[in-house]
Amino acid sequence: MKAQKPTLIEIEPTNGCNLVCKICPHGTPDSVHYPLFPKHPIKNMSLEQYKEILDSYDYEFPTIQICGTGEPLLNPNLVEMIKYSKKLAPKVELITNATLLNQETSKRLKNSGLDLLRVSIDGSDEEAYRKIRGYSLKKVTNNVRQFTNTTNIQTMINCLVTRNNSDSIRNMPDLLNRMGANILELRLFDGGSGDSQTHSLYEQATLSELHKEIKTKCEELGIEFLPWEFEDYSNQDCLFNTEAHINFEGYLTPCFNTPRLKVG
């Protein structure tokens, strides 16, 4: 098989996180749900190592995405990483939980070259959000609101659809409108990073109704809607065929949920 150039490179600048989410290995770090997610001492990738990794590729990436199982804003070199990424790729994205997205950080990100901020929010009300993230939704939405007021950077909200937050998700378009975010992405929780029996929602009738309702609200509010795909996940190609995942230690891995499997 002829090797393909990745269309996306994802780099994990840290394995540390300030939240313990129910749908993440940091929140349920046990060998049953996460057999391929070993415990590591907290470590930030250095700016020098970050540059060395990107420089090792001899072609331009369409997109560099800074994300991973940790919270990128914990790395003190994040803004410099974004600036360097922008020299090598036309599009640079950052995925964050936004808990550390204060006014000073927003100002620094404003001129960093960042093209898209993706914020993970799994619920439109305090109860639903806290059940998954264990943190204050109000604090996060205030952070996102001041970010959109401070910058012109496109802001997307990533939201996982689970059995426990499906009702709350119906009001996500209104939440985005209040925060000034303009893209909503919904993904089905597939158990790839948690207890699928507890969290996953597979009922097609419920999902179809949810899809229709949210799509209508997004159209009314002028919000771009990126929904899940209904095709069976087992029939989808592995993302390793098109994406390069670099963990905080600098290793190439199939994905961040399997950091023990190092392939480069």
Side-chain angles (χ1 to χ4, degrees):
M1 179 182 296
K2 184 178 180 181
Q4 300 181 37
K5 295 179 180 178
T7 58
L8 170 71
I9 180 169
E10 294 181 322
I11 304 185
E12 181 179 49
T14 182
N15 69 326
C17 190
N18 59 332
L19 296 184
V20 285
C21 305
K22 299 293 186 182
I23 53 177
C24 175
H26 282 289
T28 317
D30 60 76
S31 59
V32 175
H33 298 134
Y34 308 100
L36 298 175
F37 192 90
K39 283 259 201 178
H40 286 290
I42 301 303
K43 178 183 177 181
N44 288 330
M45 180 182 288
S46 69
L47 180 60
E48 291 72 23
Q49 185 180 21
Y50 186 87
K51 290 180 177 180
E52 183 180 349
I53 290 171
L54 292 184
D55 290 343
S56 68
Y57 290 85
D58 59 357
Y59 53 84
E60 183 183 81
F61 311 104
T63 303
I64 294 176
Q65 188 177 90
I66 301 174
C67 56
T69 58
E71 168 49 48
L73 289 176
L74 287 172
N75 190 313
N77 296 309
L78 178 64
V79 172
E80 293 304 315
M81 290 174 170
I82 295 172
K83 289 180 179 179
Y84 194 76
S85 299
K86 191 58 180 176
K87 295 178 181 179
L88 304 174
K91 186 173 185 179
V92 180
E93 302 179 358
L94 170 65
I95 299 181
T96 176
N97 59 34
T99 57
L100 304 175
L101 191 65
N102 56 37
Q103 191 170 21
E104 179 60 31
T105 300
S106 295
K107 289 179 179 178
R108 295 181 65 216
L109 289 173
K110 179 179 180 179
N111 299 314
S112 66
L114 183 66
D115 297 289
L116 178 65
L117 182 77
R118 302 170 64 128
V119 182
S120 300
I121 298 179
D122 307 303
S124 63
D125 61 85
E126 284 288 345
E127 182 180 2
Y129 180 81
R130 279 188 179 275
K131 280 184 178 180
I132 293 177
R133 300 277 170 180
Y135 192 77
S136 166
L137 176 62
K138 183 177 180 180
K139 290 181 180 179
V140 170
T141 56
N142 286 343
N143 285 348
V144 176
R145 175 75 266 184
Q146 64 82 21
F147 177 83
T148 59
N149 285 337
T150 301
T151 79
N152 292 319
I153 297 172
Q154 199 170 39
T155 303
M156 173 192 290
I157 303 302
N158 299 331
C159 182
L160 278 177
V161 181
T162 74
R163 187 173 299 280
N164 302 316
N165 69 352
S166 57
D167 287 337
S168 177
I169 286 175
R170 298 177 189 276
N171 295 317
M172 285 300 293
D174 294 319
L175 180 65
L176 266 74
N177 192 46
R178 293 196 298 272
M179 292 188 295
N182 49 15
I183 307 173
L184 173 62
E185 180 183 56
L186 295 184
R187 291 187 179 183
L188 300 181
F189 182 78
D190 61 2
S193 55
D195 184 353
S196 59
Q197 295 296 337
T198 302
H199 300 296
S200 297
L201 177 64
Y202 296 121
E203 288 80 2
Q204 290 296 312
T206 301
L207 291 172
S208 295
E209 179 188 358
L210 191 64
H211 179 281
K212 182 179 180 180
E213 183 176 342
I214 294 176
K215 180 181 178 182
T216 299
K217 285 187 177 181
C218 282
E219 289 175 348
E220 292 174 352
L221 296 171
I223 295 171
E224 183 178 354
F225 180 41
L226 304 177
W228 61 83
E229 296 293 337
F230 277 109
E231 68 177 348
D232 187 348
Y233 282 1
S234 64
N235 293 327
Q236 294 183 10
D237 291 335
C238 176
L239 294 178
F240 188 58
N241 294 327
T242 57
E243 299 180 2
H245 302 262
I246 311 295
N247 75 1
F248 68 99
E249 294 179 299
Y251 291 106
L252 178 65
T253 68
C255 68
F256 291 125
N257 291 320
T258 57
R260 187 174 288 164
L261 301 179
K262 301 169 183 177
V263 296

